[in-house]
Amino acid sequence: MATGDQLYDQMAGGDLGMVGEEFEEYCRKNGLCNLCGTTKTHKREFKLMKKNQWKSLTVESKSDGGFVVYKGYCVQPGCFTLDQARRLLGEIGPGGQDADSIAETISLASTSTIKKMGVKSRLLKKKKKGGSSSSKKKGNDFDGLTGFSSKSRGGKSRSSTRSTVSASGSVSSRISRDDDDRSVGSAMTSNSKVRLSLQHLLKEHSGTLLDLSSTKLHHVHISELVNSLGIASTLNTLILENCKLNDNEIEVLGNGLARDDAVAPIERFSLRANRLGNRGTVSLAAWFKKSKHLTELDLSKNQIGSRGATSTLHAFRDNPNCKIKMLNFAHNEIWDPDDGSFFASNSSLQLLNLEGNFIHDEGVEAIAKGMIRNVDNTNLKHLFLGWNGIGDEGAIQLARMFASNSSLETLGLGENDITSVGARAMLACLASNATLREITGLYHNQIDRKFIIAAIKRLLQSHVEIITDETKEDQRMQAAVEASMSAMDTLAEPIGEKMPAPDEVSESSLDWAEKLYNEGGGTGDGVPPILEITTGTDPKAKQEEVEPLGKSAPPVEEKVKPAATPTPKVDIASEMQGMSFKQMAPPRTKFDRIMVFQAAPLAYFNRNSSLHHAVPLHEFGHEVNILRHVAKDAGKVDAEIEVEAQPATLDNFRMFLEKGTAGVLHFSCHGHPDQLAFENGAGYIDGLQPDALKKIMATSKVPIKLVVVNSFHSGRIGKAFLDAGVPHVVCCHHSEVFRDKASGGFIKNLYRGLAMNKSLKQAFHMAQEAIRVEEITKHIERYVLLPRKPEDEFYHDIPIFYTRTVPELGIADPEYEDDSYRLPPLPRHFMGREVDMYEILEALRADDVVRLGGNRGSGKTAVATAVCRYINFRKKTFKYDNVFWMPPSEHVKPEEDTLFGDLCGLFRKILESDHNVWEDGDVIECRERINIELEGTRSLFAIDTRLFETDAAAQNLEDFLGDLLNSGNALKIILITPSDDLPPEEDTIYLKNLDFKATALLFGEVSRFITPNGCPAAQSSDEFGALMVPPSVAKLQDQTKFSSSRRTELMGHMGGGNPRAIIKAAKQMPASTFIQLIGMANTPEIHVDSAKTLQAAIKRWSGEKEKAVKAKNHLRALDLEKVLNELDAMRSQFRTLDDLIVQEAELQKKLEAAMSSRQYKEGNAIKREILAMKRLIMQEKRAVPDENEQAATDRLADLQVQMQKIMQLANNSFSSLDHLSVDDRVAASFNMGSKYHNCELTISPQSALEYDPGDDMGAIICWTNECCDVTLSEGNKVLMEAGGPNLQRDISSLPGITRTPWGLGKCGTGNAVIVGPGNYDDLLFHCIILAVGPTSRDVDYKPEDEDALHYIKIMLRSCIRSCLILAKHSQVHSIAFPTLTTKMDGATYDTTLLMFFKILVEEARHSDLNRLHITAASENEASKLIAMGVDMGLELA
């Protein structure tokens, strides 16, 4: 039997069949002799901060005392002789030397070799004294070369004197910063405001208020103020708002306030809008802890973090005489304000404002639990938590709190991430709370308005005893004022308004969405009841409608308690939808399985661009967790459902079909438009055509009952499975983002219904109802049940689970253990890194060590985590036994006496080390155990080297990893290197900024303004990405080769492509800046690559600008003027064709002169210049065809359009009579809307002025320009005449938003403003909505101009949404909508007409309209619209 060494020898050289460069590469990578391929001549020397090196070995022979290996040369027979090795090393000359000379030479050479090899670790290098300070990083003491902390043992800084000098330097710079045009010495002149205020205070000895707001205060000012505190015995209010105070001045002030001789009895203290951070806040804590008078404290709009907030609250907690009543921490940087101890003990605080921080669910949980513990003593009446990223978990904790609380009266929750789940929890607990009067900001969360918010407001109003007539009048007046607002105006935060006083709250002034969506004015008028049941139920049943606290039960599963009168058993889900479902038989079996296949190819190679392109990654782990969670609901029917998840490789798919382990297949992927995108298990696409799928499905031993497809291309994939013989297919659209809340919510509720033995039809509609109620998305049409059947058919009304016996084991290895708990969790937002992940996987194939670098915030940890989790899910494919993350996360608790436990213990020792740990016997023993346990396995280590800050820790880590790599064990290492401390070339993979599209998607996913009911221009991340990235940019194969000022400006506002900066910008961007961002996105994208395309672009946009000015679209003209300025600046970059020809002729003359003078070298250089010039000339000739060619092309296009019209007329002429009965109609009515709200749609060619809204509040849409000048259109002139002087006055009094060189702009393109309600003479309606559309009847575009059509679609959708938002705000329930298209009979007329109709129908379907009337411009247009409605599946009335 061969030994291990013999087996190793057999792998070398000819035994492997390797020759030439392949054999040399094998020897180089394994440190073997490149002659015999068996003897190890070099040892790997591992380095953290630079690439690994190989150290030459010297091995003596035990038999004859000679050498086996001499300094990296194998001296065994057949390889080198000892003399050859020495000569190659330069130790002896060709003629030989005596022994003494040789020994001396060897000694010198040995020293030289060691220096060259860099044996001394780069991590151990010390900084040179007096070196440049440029390598010193702000905020830490990092070594400029290594990136590791330059701290000695014990963690102390090496040079305390240097930090002292730096500190003193900062003081001097701070003093000079605060000076305007006065010196520090003159700052306290008798004329200064500070001197006068202090003089008055000291002179009168009776001053109670000192207000120095908006005054620059210097160090000397604060010192004099502190001195005055010793005698200001009557001062009770000190206001220092916007005084530009930093932590240094605050420390002086805090020390003065805490002095025993400070007699000022300050009750109200404000430091609002300064530069106060944690250090300054902590310095005030000593005064807070001892103050007997302070009742109101305002620290808002500063830079206070969690440490500062905690120190403040704990100081009040420890103050036995605490009297604090009002505390304002709004708009700081607080994550965790308290551990709950303050709220568990305080009895004085009445108002707390934490708006605009980063509290999230964890912080809310601490507050709520503290108040629950202090339920009998707390007096907190007003709590404001808006703009804090609070989700459902936080809302549930708050609900539990005020279920037992009897003091809270106002709760502010505006601009958070609460869905209907959390709102239902609050609704359930409000039944036991009688003191809470108001919850503000609910409308701008993701909560169902029609049912849940209305129910909450109705319940809260029952707590208010009296609503006075004066209150009702104020609410009515406020609604009338807001009626003239534009939709985008509601995005604007107050500008130029005086900030509220310290005892005021800002929730109402900042919650811009509350104005937009306030339906009933707070009086209860028009608010629907909590639940309307028309089958004779008991009124007491309303309380039973409230879902118990938690997330588990979907809204459609609520049961209604029957009244005393016997009534038939009613399923509420069925009743709400107007549907009937079959009652399913009890389960036949008690066990079933869901087979989950997840295809996650990361990239594909594009031959045209020679680049790898990304395939968007989904958060598959979160999806599996959802399925496993809802599968537990099977216990409600005394059954069990197993969820088995596997990578979607073709081998796994075939194995599943052969074994028949489940009747339900869940297929999850991003997909591909042309094929089914399986994966090869290693990060690449493995495509499958639909015909091949049919053949594979035919081999299935057990028929698949249901396939659920969760994919961006779900429709195509679902159709392929349906054609392959699957009887039932559910298509769930997944957007391009990492975690799609809408698809996750749909899947959760679908499987929850199926697990509870509901029929497929009922579970599907329950899932649609759930996401509609929670308002995660309006696009419920993206969730389709195939094959499509009428609602009254029972084809899909069948059970899915518990109908047949399934095997006990699936296709997974029964010995497989899920060890993903070892790895950190993935972030919630992760996108744009798929190609980077693929490159890391490819690098791991070639290299043992892969270094991952990048700028701060580039997401190195997230990418490394994603790679580790990707491999861990595919261990079988990648052939890994273990995947380790070191040092482990804090939440990981390893088991003792295991390999993972030993690794965690060893890395903990290394991380905390300040000396050489390899001198410790226990550590050495642990390392030996690890080496033994790793034998025969293949492992992947991901190590965050940034945590090893000391030199000792870094050196110990180097030694350990070097030992592992040289032990012969099969392992790979991913090293996360420190940011900005290594040049990119030192890293194997260097993370660059995200591309433009990924940046836009990430920004859209995080932004608080992009919600299903937010900004009209973009209400989802997909829509925002489409707005930012027009088709011309999306089509580019390599976006790095293209840039524009538009994209550069947009990228700058969205964080520049750095993920951390993107998230920060999205969360902190104010509304006014966001509106500007939307405006910049509407600027045309230009792409110029030649002089002719430049001239063509200038000609086109000059014409567009002239049209905009003529049509009085002045804001659009401003945008186009910027484009023209950019194009004009490009003239110097592109030479004309004539200039290029002249330059080519000059180069030809130079070439002839060079050749005649025999200057051949110079002649060759000129030839290369001529060749490059010819390429430019050919490019210019191809750029734009000449006028004759263009004219011929235009004539051909016109002929094609005419032929299409002739064919269309012919087809209509010979169509069937049934077809004529639809197409010949010029007026029709459709039943539109959803299953939950009906809307009547009428189409006719009559004038909009003749439309009668009936008993509803009615409105008409008037298409106008950005100046709201309705006199330019004949139809609008008729409207103005019919409306009389009242309408003319109201329209002319609309306020302007921007003044341009051509006039005052009142409403931007894609937006709308409303006038009314009012009495307008002969008009039958009371409101007129002026809408600024992106096109008009007198313009046309070429069908291939995708960017123009894209702009029309985006702005048209925004315009229609703005109109519907304003209609809802003004209680309008009936609208007349004239069509808006390009030029009639133009090339894009049909396209834009269909675009208008589809957008309007889709948006109106989810509105509160009762009637929508579309007025066509002609009978032919009306017929087309009716045909479109029939094709879209609308039901004719």
Side-chain angles (χ1 to χ4, degrees):
M1 188 174 185
T3 64
D5 291 338
Q6 289 172 338
L7 290 174
Y8 182 82
D9 292 344
Q10 291 173 8
M11 293 174 60
D15 292 338
L16 289 178
M18 293 184 295
V19 294
E21 293 181 357
E22 184 182 5
F23 176 66
E24 291 180 1
E25 178 67 15
Y26 170 80
C27 295
R28 185 189 64 79
K29 291 184 64 174
N30 292 277
L32 303 176
C33 171
N34 58 4
L35 295 181
C36 65
T38 59
T39 306
K40 197 167 185 66
T41 59
H42 290 77
K43 176 182 179 181
R44 189 197 304 265
E45 190 175 57
F46 179 78
K47 296 294 180 184
L48 282 181
M49 302 307 298
K50 58 183 179 181
K51 294 186 177 180
N52 299 338
Q53 299 176 357
W54 290 92
K55 182 179 180 180
S56 302
L57 297 177
T58 297
V59 182
E60 296 183 358
S61 174
K62 297 181 180 179
S63 58
D64 57 4
F67 292 98
V68 177
V69 178
Y70 182 77
K71 295 183 180 180
Y73 289 93
C74 175
V75 293
Q76 294 193 87
C79 295
F80 297 95
T81 65
L82 183 59
D83 287 342
Q84 288 174 334
R86 288 179 173 177
R87 278 197 294 272
L88 291 171
L89 289 168
E91 296 179 351
I92 60 175
Q97 295 177 346
D98 56 23
D100 294 338
S101 299
I102 292 173
E104 182 179 356
T105 305
I106 291 174
S107 177
L108 294 173
S110 178
T111 303
S112 174
T113 304
I114 292 175
K115 289 181 179 179
K116 290 179 180 178
M117 283 190 283
V119 174
K120 184 171 179 62
S121 171
R122 187 176 181 181
L123 300 175
L124 303 178
K125 289 183 179 180
K126 306 293 183 181
K127 289 184 178 180
K128 294 182 179 180
K129 294 182 179 180
S132 172
S133 62
S134 62
S135 63
K136 188 175 180 64
K137 301 290 182 184
K138 181 180 180 180
N140 54 33
D141 195 19
F142 275 70
D143 190 306
L145 292 175
T146 65
F148 288 87
S149 176
S150 47
K151 296 179 180 179
S152 60
R153 296 180 183 181
K156 296 180 179 179
S157 178
R158 292 178 183 167
S159 175
S160 59
T161 57
R162 183 183 306 171
S163 61
T164 303
V165 173
S166 175
S168 63
S170 63
V171 171
S172 62
S173 64
R174 182 179 65 252
I175 293 174
S176 62
R177 166 186 60 78
D178 285 340
D179 296 337
D180 290 341
D181 49 2
R182 301 178 300 173
S183 66
V184 176
S186 64
M188 291 297 295
T189 62
S190 59
N191 295 327
S192 73
K193 180 180 177 180
V194 181
R195 167 66 81 176
L196 292 175
S197 298
L198 291 177
Q199 280 182 352
H200 175 75
L201 177 68
L202 298 175
K203 182 178 179 180
E204 300 296 333
H205 288 283
S206 60
T208 59
L209 169 66
L210 178 60
D211 187 353
L212 299 176
S213 298
S214 302
T215 304
K216 287 187 177 180
L217 296 182
H218 300 266
H219 194 84
V220 289
H221 299 148
I222 300 299
S223 299
E224 182 156 342
L225 176 60
V226 168
N227 294 333
S228 68
L229 295 176
I231 58 174
S233 59
T234 60
L235 180 65
N236 59 25
T237 301
L238 178 59
I239 301 177
L240 303 177
E241 296 183 6
N242 194 24
C243 295
K244 298 187 178 180
L245 298 174
N246 59 26
D247 286 342
N248 294 306
E249 284 100 5
I250 298 298
E251 280 186 337
V252 176
L253 180 60
N255 294 334
L257 289 168
R259 286 189 335 203
D260 294 334
D261 59 347
V263 297
I266 298 177
E267 298 177 2
R268 299 180 64 192
F269 182 48
S270 175
L271 285 173
R272 182 185 183 91
N274 283 288
R275 300 167 181 171
L276 178 61
N278 284 331
R279 181 162 56 90
T281 311
V282 171
S283 69
L284 293 169
W287 175 51
F288 297 156
K289 191 173 182 179
K290 62 185 294 187
S291 175
K292 300 179 181 179
H293 307 283
L294 187 64
T295 59
E296 299 180 9
L297 175 63
D298 190 350
L299 300 177
S300 60
K301 298 193 72 174
N302 281 289
Q303 302 164 12
I304 302 170
S306 299
R307 186 165 67 95
T310 302
S311 65
T312 301
L313 294 180
H314 285 186
F316 288 127
R317 179 198 63 188
D318 298 336
N319 185 347
N321 301 310
C322 177
K323 295 183 179 180
I324 190 71
K325 294 182 179 180
M326 195 286 293
L327 186 55
N328 190 353
F329 272 122
H331 304 290
N332 280 286
E333 301 170 3
I334 302 169
W335 290 81
D336 300 306
D338 183 43
D339 56 5
S341 59
F342 169 80
F343 298 95
S345 58
N346 181 268
S347 61
S348 63
L349 188 65
Q350 297 179 9
L351 186 148
L352 176 63
N353 191 348
L354 289 169
E355 291 176 354
N357 285 283
F358 306 99
I359 304 299
H360 294 90
D361 293 344
E362 295 80 5
V364 170
E365 182 178 359
I367 295 173
K369 288 184 176 179
M371 293 181 66
I372 291 173
R373 289 161 53 192
N374 194 26
V375 64
D376 295 327
N377 296 319
T378 181
N379 286 303
L380 186 62
K381 297 181 179 180
H382 310 282
L383 176 61
F384 297 94
L385 297 170
W387 289 268
N388 272 297
I390 300 170
D392 289 332
E393 290 295 335
I396 291 171
Q397 295 297 332
L398 288 172
R400 289 172 177 162
M401 178 269 294
F402 58 66
S404 59
N405 182 275
S406 59
S407 65
L408 198 63
E409 297 178 1
T410 306
L411 177 64
L413 293 174
E415 291 291 344
N416 282 296
D417 299 324
I418 302 171
T419 70
S420 296
V421 174
R424 281 195 296 268
M426 292 192 290
L427 180 61
C429 294
L430 280 174
S432 57
N433 183 298
T435 59
L436 193 59
R437 299 289 190 268
E438 184 180 13
I439 302 179
T440 64
L442 288 176
Y443 282 106
H444 204 64
N445 283 273
Q446 302 172 21
I447 305 173
D448 175 61
R449 295 189 179 87
K450 188 171 182 181
F451 297 105
I452 299 178
I453 294 183
I456 291 176
K457 286 190 173 293
R458 173 69 63 107
L459 197 55
L460 290 174
Q461 287 164 9
S462 67
H463 297 167
V464 182
E465 297 178 356
I466 299 175
I467 299 179
T468 64
D469 294 337
E470 183 180 358
T471 302
K472 292 183 178 180
E473 179 64 19
D474 289 343
Q475 292 168 348
R476 189 191 67 78
M477 292 296 294
Q478 178 67 17
V481 171
E482 292 166 3
S484 62
M485 293 190 306
S486 74
M488 287 298 286
D489 286 340
T490 59
L491 280 170
E493 296 170 342
I495 298 176
E497 298 181 5
K498 185 177 179 180
M499 298 304 292
D503 57 346
E504 296 175 349
V505 296
S506 57
E507 178 85 6
S508 59
S509 62
L510 290 177
D511 191 3
W512 50 268
E514 187 73 16
K515 299 177 181 179
L516 181 61
Y517 300 118
N518 186 12
E519 296 182 332
T523 65
D525 298 335
V527 180
I530 296 176
L531 185 63
E532 296 181 356
I533 302 174
T534 59
T535 55
T537 56
D538 190 348
K540 294 182 181 179
K542 289 184 179 181
Q543 291 186 356
E544 299 196 11
E545 291 299 322
V546 180
E547 182 181 317
L549 191 62
K551 289 186 176 182
S552 58
V556 293
E557 279 299 306
E558 298 170 350
K559 300 293 182 182
V560 181
K561 183 178 179 180
T565 303
T567 55
K569 185 177 180 180
V570 178
D571 189 310
I572 290 299
S574 305
E575 191 70 14
M576 289 177 64
Q577 300 171 18
M579 299 180 182
S580 60
F581 302 113
K582 287 184 177 180
Q583 185 71 28
M584 297 297 102
R588 298 179 186 175
T589 63
K590 298 298 183 181
F591 177 75
D592 217 319
R593 179 181 290 110
I594 303 173
M595 185 67 233
V596 181
F597 280 121
Q598 297 176 326
L602 300 172
Y604 65 94
F605 186 75
N606 188 294
R607 298 185 181 276
N608 296 326
S609 64
S610 299
L611 295 172
H612 280 98
H613 290 252
V615 178
L617 187 66
H618 299 170
E619 190 175 4
F620 294 114
H622 179 69
E623 179 186 51
V624 172
N625 290 337
I626 289 176
L627 294 177
R628 287 176 176 162
H629 177 73
V630 298
K632 296 178 182 178
D633 286 345
K636 297 180 180 179
V637 293
D638 195 25
E640 178 186 357
I641 295 178
E642 179 186 88
V643 178
E644 180 180 0
Q646 290 291 325
T649 63
L650 288 175
D651 290 341
N652 285 341
F653 186 57
R654 291 189 179 97
M655 186 187 307
F656 161 70
L657 295 176
E658 290 173 2
K659 293 187 175 182
T661 58
V664 177
L665 170 62
H666 182 96
F667 189 78
S668 183
C669 65
H670 178 266
H672 190 276
D674 301 325
Q675 57 187 350
L676 274 77
F678 284 78
E679 63 169 85
N680 67 349
Y684 211 74
I685 281 183
D686 195 357
L688 185 69
Q689 296 296 331
D691 292 340
L693 177 66
K694 290 182 182 180
K695 296 179 180 178
I696 295 178
M697 292 288 291
T699 63
S700 177
K701 293 183 178 180
V702 178
I704 298 177
K705 199 171 188 178
L706 170 67
V707 172
V708 179
V709 180
N710 184 22
S711 170
F712 183 76
H713 299 282
S714 59
R716 295 183 178 91
I717 300 173
K719 182 66 165 52
F721 275 108
L722 192 70
D723 294 341
V726 178
H728 307 278
V729 179
V730 173
C731 301
C732 173
H733 176 82
H734 192 296
S735 63
E736 291 186 277
V737 298
F738 185 54
R739 181 189 292 188
D740 188 346
K741 293 174 63 176
S743 70
F746 177 82
I747 288 171
K748 176 182 67 176
N749 288 282
L750 173 69
Y751 281 106
R752 174 170 287 157
L754 296 176
M756 296 172 65
N757 202 31
K758 303 294 182 184
S759 71
L760 173 60
K761 180 181 177 182
Q762 184 175 3
F764 177 80
H765 288 295
M766 284 169 57
Q768 280 192 322
E769 164 73 1
I771 61 172
R772 184 197 69 84
V773 169
E774 295 181 11
E775 291 195 352
I776 301 174
T777 179
K778 294 188 295 187
H779 300 289
I780 60 174
E781 76 283 352
R782 294 181 176 179
Y783 310 97
V784 181
L785 179 58
L786 298 178
R788 296 178 185 269
K789 297 290 183 180
E791 292 294 346
D792 56 353
E793 286 196 16
F794 295 99
Y795 177 80
H796 295 298
D797 222 353
I798 61 169
I800 295 299
F801 292 123
Y802 323 124
T803 59
R804 70 177 183 88
T805 304
V806 298
E808 293 184 4
L809 298 179
I811 65 173
D813 185 354
E815 298 182 358
Y816 171 78
E817 294 183 5
D818 184 12
D819 52 9
S820 59
Y821 71 93
R822 301 173 179 173
L823 305 175
L826 279 167
R828 182 179 179 182
H829 308 291
F830 179 80
M831 58 189 67
R833 293 301 188 192
E834 292 82 6
V835 174
D836 296 306
M837 291 175 61
Y838 181 76
E839 290 179 353
I840 293 173
L841 295 177
E842 290 298 302
L844 287 171
R845 295 176 181 273
D847 300 322
D848 293 339
V849 180
V850 175
R851 287 175 170 80
L852 182 61
N855 294 327
R856 297 182 189 277
S858 58
K860 297 185 289 294
T861 302
V863 172
T865 300
V867 170
C868 290
R869 286 189 169 272
Y870 191 89
I871 293 175
N872 194 68
F873 187 58
R874 298 162 178 80
K875 286 181 181 176
K876 183 178 179 181
T877 306
F878 286 99
K879 299 180 180 178
Y880 282 104
D881 299 294
N882 302 293
V883 179
F884 299 113
W885 184 280
M886 294 291 151
S889 303
E890 295 181 357
H891 70 278
V892 176
K893 305 298 180 185
E895 297 181 7
E896 296 182 359
D897 300 327
T898 62
L899 170 60
F900 183 56
D902 286 340
L903 285 169
C904 292
L906 180 60
F907 270 86
R908 192 177 303 111
K909 289 280 188 181
I910 294 175
L911 195 61
E912 299 171 354
S913 63
D914 57 1
H915 63 286
N916 185 2
V917 297
W918 308 117
E919 298 174 355
D920 188 334
D922 292 338
V923 176
I924 295 175
E925 183 181 350
C926 181
R927 181 175 66 179
E928 291 175 352
R929 287 200 307 272
I930 291 172
N931 282 328
I932 293 173
E933 290 168 336
L934 286 175
E935 286 183 3
T937 65
R938 195 165 186 264
S939 303
L940 172 67
F941 286 83
I943 302 173
D944 192 347
T945 65
R946 299 169 296 182
L947 302 178
F948 299 84
E949 297 182 351
T950 64
D951 291 344
Q955 186 61 57
N956 288 327
L957 178 62
E958 278 189 1
D959 295 341
F960 174 65
L961 296 182
D963 181 68
L964 281 182
L965 289 170
N966 288 293
S967 63
N969 294 321
L971 57 89
K972 302 282 186 175
I973 300 174
I974 299 175
L975 293 179
I976 305 175
T977 61
S979 306
D980 303 330
D981 295 317
L982 281 178
E985 57 269 15
E986 290 290 340
D987 294 305
T988 312
I989 304 294
Y990 190 84
L991 298 181
K992 300 178 182 178
N993 289 336
L994 298 181
D995 62 22
F996 188 37
K997 184 176 181 179
T999 298
L1001 288 174
L1002 180 55
F1003 185 94
E1005 186 70 8
V1006 179
S1007 174
R1008 61 193 175 98
F1009 299 113
I1010 301 173
T1011 64
N1013 294 289
C1015 171
Q1019 296 184 348
S1020 68
S1021 56
D1022 284 345
E1023 290 183 2
F1024 185 76
L1027 172 65
M1028 295 290 141
V1029 188
S1032 62
V1033 178
K1035 281 185 174 182
L1036 292 173
Q1037 300 292 345
D1038 185 6
Q1039 293 188 8
T1040 60
K1041 296 181 179 179
F1042 166 70
S1043 63
S1044 68
S1045 60
R1046 172 187 178 272
R1047 191 177 73 166
T1048 302
E1049 194 172 2
L1050 289 173
M1051 285 284 282
H1053 279 78
M1054 293 189 296
N1058 181 281
R1060 181 184 297 174
I1062 295 170
I1063 294 174
K1064 182 178 180 181
K1067 288 184 175 180
Q1068 299 182 0
M1069 179 174 287
S1072 57
T1073 306
F1074 180 79
I1075 294 174
Q1076 294 175 5
L1077 183 71
I1078 297 297
M1080 286 186 287
N1082 293 331
T1083 305
E1085 185 76 49
I1086 56 174
H1087 186 198
V1088 174
D1089 56 4
S1090 65
K1092 281 196 173 182
T1093 56
L1094 175 62
Q1095 292 300 324
I1098 292 175
K1099 181 179 178 181
R1100 174 188 177 181
W1101 296 117
S1102 296
E1104 292 289 338
K1105 177 189 170 184
E1106 292 176 2
K1107 292 178 183 177
V1109 173
K1110 183 178 180 181
K1112 291 194 174 182
N1113 290 320
H1114 295 161
L1115 302 179
R1116 179 65 174 171
L1118 268 183
D1119 292 339
L1120 297 179
E1121 188 174 44
K1122 295 177 183 178
V1123 172
L1124 290 171
N1125 291 336
E1126 182 183 356
L1127 290 170
D1128 191 61
M1130 292 182 179
R1131 291 182 185 272
S1132 60
Q1133 301 178 23
F1134 299 99
R1135 291 165 289 184
T1136 65
L1137 181 60
D1138 294 337
D1139 292 338
L1140 293 175
I1141 294 174
V1142 171
Q1143 292 181 15
E1144 182 192 13
E1146 293 176 353
L1147 288 175
Q1148 290 287 357
K1149 293 179 181 179
K1150 289 183 180 181
L1151 177 61
E1152 293 175 1
M1155 298 304 292
S1156 61
S1157 60
R1158 298 185 178 181
Q1159 296 177 0
Y1160 300 116
K1161 184 176 182 180
E1162 184 179 350
N1164 289 331
I1166 296 174
K1167 280 184 179 180
R1168 286 191 290 271
E1169 291 184 33
I1170 292 174
L1171 183 61
M1173 190 66 63
K1174 288 183 179 294
R1175 292 197 189 99
L1176 290 175
I1177 292 173
M1178 293 300 297
Q1179 181 178 347
E1180 286 294 333
K1181 288 182 177 180
R1182 289 194 301 265
V1184 179
D1186 59 30
E1187 296 181 359
N1188 294 331
E1189 291 178 352
Q1190 185 64 44
T1193 303
D1194 292 341
R1195 286 196 299 271
L1196 180 60
D1198 292 340
L1199 286 173
Q1200 290 176 342
V1201 172
Q1202 293 177 16
M1203 287 299 298
Q1204 290 175 358
K1205 292 179 179 178
I1206 293 173
M1207 293 301 297
Q1208 184 177 4
L1209 289 173
N1211 291 333
N1212 291 338
S1213 300
F1214 296 102
S1215 57
S1216 65
L1217 293 177
D1218 292 337
H1219 221 94
L1220 279 173
S1221 64
V1222 174
D1223 290 349
D1224 281 359
R1225 291 190 182 185
V1226 295
S1229 296
F1230 294 92
N1231 293 323
M1232 196 184 63
S1234 63
K1235 304 177 184 67
Y1236 325 102
H1237 174 73
N1238 186 49
C1239 175
E1240 180 187 4
L1241 168 65
T1242 59
I1243 300 173
S1244 72
Q1246 74 179 56
S1247 171
L1249 298 178
E1250 301 173 10
Y1251 176 63
D1252 185 1
D1255 296 333
D1256 290 335
M1257 173 76 79
I1260 183 175
I1261 305 300
C1262 175
W1263 297 108
T1264 183
N1265 47 55
E1266 293 176 336
C1267 293
C1268 295
D1269 184 355
V1270 296
T1271 62
L1272 297 184
S1273 167
E1274 292 298 328
N1276 290 344
K1277 288 181 181 179
V1278 176
L1279 172 67
M1280 292 293 289
E1281 293 174 358
N1286 289 340
L1287 178 59
Q1288 297 173 15
R1289 183 191 65 247
D1290 289 352
I1291 292 178
S1292 61
S1293 63
L1294 287 171
I1297 56 176
T1298 302
R1299 185 165 297 280
T1300 70
W1302 309 280
L1304 184 64
K1306 296 184 177 182
C1307 181
T1309 300
N1311 204 0
V1313 293
I1314 188 170
V1315 292
N1319 293 319
Y1320 298 126
D1321 292 4
D1322 298 333
L1323 297 182
L1324 299 176
F1325 28 78
H1326 301 89
C1327 294
I1328 291 86
I1329 300 177
L1330 304 178
V1332 184
T1335 186
S1336 63
R1337 296 280 188 177
D1338 56 352
V1339 299
D1340 194 21
Y1341 300 95
K1342 296 180 180 179
E1344 61 270 16
D1345 192 350
E1346 293 181 321
D1347 278 10
L1349 294 176
H1350 175 78
Y1351 171 75
I1352 292 175
K1353 178 181 178 180
I1354 295 292
M1355 289 297 98
L1356 192 58
R1357 182 174 60 200
S1358 174
C1359 205
I1360 291 174
R1361 284 175 176 171
S1362 299
C1363 294
L1364 296 178
I1365 289 173
L1366 293 173
K1368 179 177 181 179
H1369 175 67
S1370 299
Q1371 302 296 320
V1372 170
H1373 295 289
S1374 184
I1375 293 183
F1377 237 112
T1379 56
L1380 180 67
T1381 67
T1382 54
K1383 186 176 181 180
M1384 293 188 70
D1385 297 330
T1388 57
Y1389 167 71
D1390 288 341
T1391 302
T1392 53
L1393 181 63
L1394 178 61
M1395 188 185 298
F1396 165 82
F1397 185 70
K1398 290 182 68 175
I1399 293 174
L1400 180 57
V1401 168
E1402 182 56 40
E1403 295 299 326
R1405 191 192 298 269
H1406 303 286
S1407 69
D1408 292 338
L1409 294 180
N1410 295 329
R1411 287 193 291 176
L1412 172 64
H1413 178 69
I1414 300 179
T1415 60
S1418 65
E1419 293 186 354
N1420 182 41
E1421 185 173 271
S1423 297
K1424 288 185 177 183
L1425 290 171
I1426 295 170
M1428 291 175 185
V1430 173
D1431 290 341
M1432 290 171 59
L1434 298 180
E1435 180 184 355
L1436 281 166

